[in-house]
Amino acid sequence: MMRIRLGTYVVALHLPLFGCAALLLPARPLWFVGAEGLLLASLALGWWLVRQALEPLGYTRRFHDLLQDQQYANRLAAPASSELEDLVGTFNTMLAALHRERLAIGEQQGFLDRLLEATPAAVLVFDFDGAISLANASAGALLGLDRPQGKPLSAWTGAAAGFAPGLDAHARARSRELVAQLDALPPGESRLLTDLDGRRYRAQRGQFYDRGFARHFLMVEELTAELEDSERATYERLIRVLAHEVNNTVAATGSVLDSLLFYRGQLAEPDAGDFATAIAAVKRRNASLGEFIDRFTKVVKMPPPELRPTNLKAVVDDILWLNREQCNSRGIALGWHRCDTVAPLALDAQLIEQALMNIVKNAMEAIEAAGQAHGAVRLELADEGRRVRLSIVDSGDLLATGPARPLFTPFFTTRKGGQGIGLMFVREVLQRHGCTYSLAPGAPGETRFDIRFPVG
């Protein structure tokens, strides 16, 4: 457009001069020819100068088009005039730098995408308004969020939260509770979180700057297996040392006590009776100490499970029969609330029976600790397709004021005189069978221990 305007201006400027030169034609034709020649030369020179003056604008326009189309790999052609060489060289240098930056950013973005998908940690990135702009596969699997992009975390804390299809009610409740903890995590902090199933996570909320404004991100890493392995290793080392020392002492002390009984005949009869009674009392205490250590080493020396097809209902029925009279004497109702027909499961019957016996015993003791005159322990066996759920529900409600997670750690107990190994033994048995479990408050006034056995 500028070229046309300037060309029109040059032509318009020369037209009056051509008119004036035409007046010389009748009187002085030679002068007319000379004047016309000079005007044509001037017009050509003017048009050439216009083209030269507008040539940088042409390069600028082409550079603009390349930038707009993001064609950073292209280059501008070398100019005809030396005056434009520096300008075109600068343009080409800028295009080359942009091309390198684009390749570097693309490679970094590709690496970041692959890293986010490969990392086992859940990563959530938020936009300026606090809505999720990026969630990797681990975040989707951990939290069960359905199409999270564009939604804040608070969208999953309500009853109408949109979780991924296939999650049961318990899984949705677990995800909702964990999301609520993540949403409340302040920027710049790292915390250890626990969900309803007792799984433990390290969650960290950080921030980065995008175009001068702060954006947040969340990283969530499950530590359950690592912490349990560390607890188990510490427990094993401690128990092995204690068992070694105590068993050596018990064996030596027992031998000495047996030897001391030979001196009974050398004592007067009244003293001999007291002497024998004291020795017997010490031997009983010695045996009790050995049994005490054996209960702790039971977890460490647990044999690998020998899996065989097992009727889970029959195993539970035996436990119910064993505890029926004890429950009746305490006023506790014990029995099935629901019992679906399920196929035999691959279990180690002895280990599972010991673990379930522990759970039922804890439920009965929870009712006694609550001071209930007429409590209840009910059991539910439910076929859930890919899993079989066994639930032991008691009316003790001892978890209403605290989390269940510490109950599965070594030496932790809420029962007076307890040793803190019962639920740890249960945890080991269930984990070796590939079961998932949860100990949490159920309906108001109840505590549920849910065990899900894999099928097939």
Side-chain angles (χ1 to χ4, degrees):
M1 184 64 68
M2 184 64 68
R3 185 187 300 273
I4 296 175
R5 290 177 181 176
L6 289 176
T8 303
Y9 173 76
V10 171
V11 171
L13 184 64
H14 284 75
L15 283 177
L17 296 177
F18 278 107
C20 295
L23 297 177
L24 299 175
L25 181 59
R28 297 180 178 180
L30 292 178
W31 284 34
F32 168 76
V33 173
E36 290 292 330
L38 290 174
L39 290 174
L40 289 173
S42 175
L43 182 61
L45 178 62
W47 183 255
W48 181 79
L49 291 175
V50 167
R51 290 186 59 187
Q52 290 293 107
L54 295 180
E55 189 174 8
L57 293 179
Y59 276 99
T60 304
R61 187 180 301 109
R62 288 194 291 275
F63 181 68
H64 171 268
D65 293 339
L66 291 175
L67 291 180
Q68 190 173 34
D69 297 336
Q70 298 185 1
Q71 301 294 327
Y72 304 139
N74 294 342
R75 298 293 181 267
L76 297 176
S81 59
S82 59
E83 291 83 356
L84 294 178
E85 287 184 359
D86 292 341
L87 177 63
V88 173
T90 302
F91 282 168
N92 286 335
T93 302
M94 292 176 62
L95 288 172
L98 290 172
H99 182 59
R100 289 193 300 272
E101 290 293 328
R102 186 178 188 180
L103 290 177
I105 292 174
E107 292 170 354
Q108 292 172 3
Q109 184 64 41
F111 171 73
L112 179 61
D113 291 341
R114 289 192 295 271
L115 180 63
L116 289 177
E117 291 305 314
T119 181
V123 179
L124 296 171
V125 181
F126 301 89
D127 60 18
F128 300 113
D129 298 321
I132 297 174
S133 61
L134 184 148
N136 66 346
S138 297
L142 174 64
L143 303 175
L145 309 182
D146 185 27
R147 295 187 294 274
Q149 282 75 12
K151 302 175 185 176
L153 274 180
S154 56
W156 284 274
T157 58
F163 290 99
L167 290 183
D168 56 24
H170 176 76
R172 288 194 296 271
R174 178 179 62 83
S175 295
R176 187 180 299 111
E177 196 271 343
L178 182 57
V179 167
Q181 295 185 63
L182 292 175
D183 193 33
L185 186 64
E189 287 199 14
S190 178
R191 290 182 182 175
L192 188 66
L193 307 181
T194 305
D195 66 10
L196 294 178
D197 288 347
R199 296 188 180 93
R200 289 172 283 182
Y201 308 88
R202 179 192 291 120
Q204 178 182 1
R205 183 186 288 270
Q207 70 176 19
F208 63 98
Y209 287 91
D210 181 8
R211 288 163 285 181
F213 296 93
R215 291 175 59 185
H216 292 174
F217 67 90
L218 274 172
M219 293 188 65
V220 187
E221 181 182 7
E222 184 171 359
L223 302 177
T224 307
E226 289 82 354
L227 292 177
E228 288 181 352
D229 288 343
S230 176
E231 291 170 356
R232 187 183 299 109
T234 303
Y235 177 86
E236 290 181 1
R237 287 195 297 270
L238 176 61
I239 293 304
R240 290 185 188 280
V241 171
L242 289 178
H244 176 74
E245 296 298 327
V246 171
N247 288 334
N248 287 343
T249 302
V250 167
T253 305
S255 177
V256 171
L257 292 174
D258 289 336
S259 299
L260 288 175
L261 286 176
F262 288 107
Y263 293 96
R264 176 179 177 178
Q266 302 178 17
L267 301 174
E269 186 58 32
D271 296 333
D274 293 341
F275 177 78
T277 301
I279 293 296
V282 175
K283 289 182 66 177
R284 286 195 300 272
R285 182 56 189 155
N286 211 34
S288 297
L289 181 60
E291 294 174 358
F292 174 80
I293 289 297
D294 286 340
R295 285 195 293 271
F296 281 98
T297 58
K298 186 178 181 181
V299 177
V300 177
K301 297 180 179 179
M302 184 187 302
E306 298 180 6
L307 304 181
R308 295 187 179 91
T310 303
N311 187 333
L312 182 58
K313 179 182 180 301
V315 173
V316 177
D317 283 338
D318 290 342
I319 296 173
L320 297 182
W321 276 105
L322 288 172
N323 291 279
R324 173 175 294 181
E325 293 301 325
Q326 189 177 6
C327 286
N328 289 338
S329 64
R330 300 179 182 180
I332 299 174
L334 175 66
W336 288 107
H337 179 72
R338 172 183 175 181
C339 187
D340 295 351
T341 301
V342 299
L345 303 174
L347 305 173
D348 186 315
Q350 292 184 348
L351 288 177
I352 286 294
E353 184 178 25
Q354 292 181 55
L356 296 180
M357 182 72 79
N358 247 307
I359 299 172
V360 172
K361 180 183 177 183
N362 287 344
M364 295 163 53
E365 292 175 349
I367 295 173
E368 287 190 328
Q372 297 180 3
H374 301 284
V377 178
R378 70 175 193 270
L379 293 95
E380 301 174 1
L381 184 62
D383 186 353
E384 298 182 343
R386 291 177 297 177
R387 294 267 178 173
V388 170
R389 174 176 57 83
L390 176 64
S391 300
I392 298 93
V393 184
D394 69 75
S395 59
D397 196 27
L398 292 186
L399 296 183
T401 58
R405 182 70 247 170
L407 295 175
F408 292 92
T409 56
F411 310 117
F412 182 90
T413 181
T414 58
R415 192 174 71 251
K416 185 177 180 180
Q419 300 167 5
I421 60 172
L423 285 179
M424 184 180 179
F425 174 79
V426 171
R427 184 187 75 181
E428 291 297 316
V429 172
L430 296 181
Q431 288 182 347
R432 294 191 184 198
H433 283 81
C435 301
T436 59
Y437 61 91
S438 63
L439 175 60
E446 293 183 347
T447 300
R448 296 182 63 93
F449 199 125
D450 293 324
I451 306 171
R452 289 175 170 81
F453 296 86
V455 175

